[in-house]
Amino acid sequence: MSTTTLAPMPVTSPLPSALEGRTVLIVGGSSGIGLAAGALLTSVGARVALLARDPARLAAAVDRLRTTPGASVTGVAGDGTAEDVLEQALDQAAPVDHVLVTAGALSTGALLDTPRDQVREAVEGRIWGAYATARAAARRLPAGGSITFSSGHYLTRPIPGASAAIASIGAIEGLTRALAVELAPRRLRVNAIRFGVVDTPLARGALGLADDTAVAAAGQGTPLGRFATAEEAASAALFLMANNIMTGTVVTVDGGQALA
Ligand SMILES: NC(=O)c1ccc[n+]([C@@H]2O[C@H](COP(=O)([O-])OP(=O)(O)OC[C@H]3O[C@@H](n4cnc5c(N)ncnc54)[C@H](OP(=O)(O)O)[C@@H]3O)[C@@H](O)[C@H]2O)c1
């Protein structure tokens, strides 16, 4: 392994406000936590590039973020698991300082009812998408730059019928630690966020929650009595981007769900 130090690690303010003028690529930025991260980032003056597949939803997300006065927001429609798409997105938005990956579907199914082919796309997309993101970003990010991946609380509190998805988020946390070591000589940082249930379209769909009333009722069983908002979840990403000493870490944002 190369241990060549290519650049010094910059010392900058660790406050999210220090992200003003920085550029962030959000892989999976047209919905949920990624979109909320985009909104928080534009509010502190960061430039934001959103990558997602559905062009109409992406265009709506870009329009929404552009309502913030002075916001600099672009969108790239494409599959964020493909390395060439990621390279193109990074080059279009260059110079990119930080990458947040929130793309990822929940692949469920009981072991004996779920052949591998049924979950292959979701599992491979999550793992190799993260790997491809890191390959594309590692060649382009500056010293102090960061990559942040998404994990989930089912890794430590598994539920039945989600073994493939849980294995894939385990892989993400392993990749996070391995890449933090491998990319540290480049002064690049790699972290992950382990989300509890966050009120997003993905969670509403997966849990069968039809409206706000159903979300509120389901959240009552958690220690704090409600699920996280997408903004609360996304704020951890800004913390990890802004703080140049954070690497190899999995930050949990779950309202205490790991405890109960
Ligand atoms: N919400 C929760 O309760 C929760 C809990 C634990 C972990 N997580 C994880 O946190 C992450 C974000 O979740 P979320 O709830 O914000 O999900 P979401 O609302 O469904 O948003 C996912 C975003 O990713 C994009 N996306 C999905 N696959 C993509 C691909 N291959 N290439 C590019 N973009 C892609 C989607 O747009 P397109 O479909 O148009 O591409 C969308 O913009 C996910 O990885 C999820 O597994 C969420």
Side-chain angles (χ1 to χ4, degrees), residues 100-103 126 148-152 169 172 191-195:
L100 169 64
V101 182
T102 54
R126 188 179 289 274
T148 303
F149 295 122
S150 296
S151 175
I169 53 176
I172 293 301
N191 295 291
I193 307 171
R194 190 186 292 160
F195 298 113

Side-chain angles (χ1 to χ4, degrees), residues 131-157:
Y131 190 84
T133 302
R135 274 178 53 84
R139 293 193 177 93
R140 291 168 172 81
L141 264 48
S146 73
I147 305 168
T148 303
F149 295 122
S150 296
S151 175
H153 74 309
Y154 291 151
L155 184 61
T156 49
R157 290 182 67 87

Side-chain angles (χ1 to χ4, degrees), residues 25-211:
L25 173 65
I26 305 176
V27 182
S30 68
S31 173
I33 299 165
L35 179 56
L40 293 177
L41 286 161
T42 53
S43 76
V44 298
R47 295 170 59 221
V48 172
L50 307 180
L51 172 60
R53 294 165 303 178
D54 184 276
R57 191 157 66 149
L58 177 66
V62 169
D63 286 348
R64 186 167 147 194
L65 296 191
R66 282 183 180 159
T67 59
T68 301
S72 170
V73 185
T74 55
V76 180
D79 186 341
T81 66
E83 196 167 322
D84 59 336
V85 172
L86 290 156
E87 288 176 335
Q88 192 190 351
L90 284 161
D91 289 340
Q92 276 180 22
V96 171
D97 299 284
H98 305 283
V99 180
L100 169 64
V101 182
T102 54
L106 186 62
S107 50
T108 52
L111 178 72
L112 296 181
D113 301 333
T114 312
R116 192 171 63 170
D117 281 351
Q118 208 167 301
V119 288
R120 185 195 298 268
E121 194 179 325
V123 169
E124 293 192 352
R126 188 179 289 274
I127 298 172
W128 295 119
Y131 190 84
T133 302
R135 274 178 53 84
R139 293 193 177 93
R140 291 168 172 81
L141 264 48
S146 73
I147 305 168
T148 303
F149 295 122
S150 296
S151 175
H153 74 309
Y154 291 151
L155 184 61
T156 49
R157 290 182 67 87
I159 56 168
S163 58
I166 292 167
S168 70
I169 53 176
I172 293 301
E173 294 199 10
L175 189 66
T176 297
R177 291 164 56 80
L179 291 178
V181 170
E182 187 164 334
L183 298 181
R186 289 176 177 265
R187 302 304 182 233
L188 299 182
R189 303 176 293 109
V190 187
N191 295 291
I193 307 171
R194 190 186 292 160
F195 298 113
V197 178
V198 181
D199 182 11
T200 68
L202 180 142
R204 288 186 179 219
L207 300 176
L209 305 172
D211 53 26

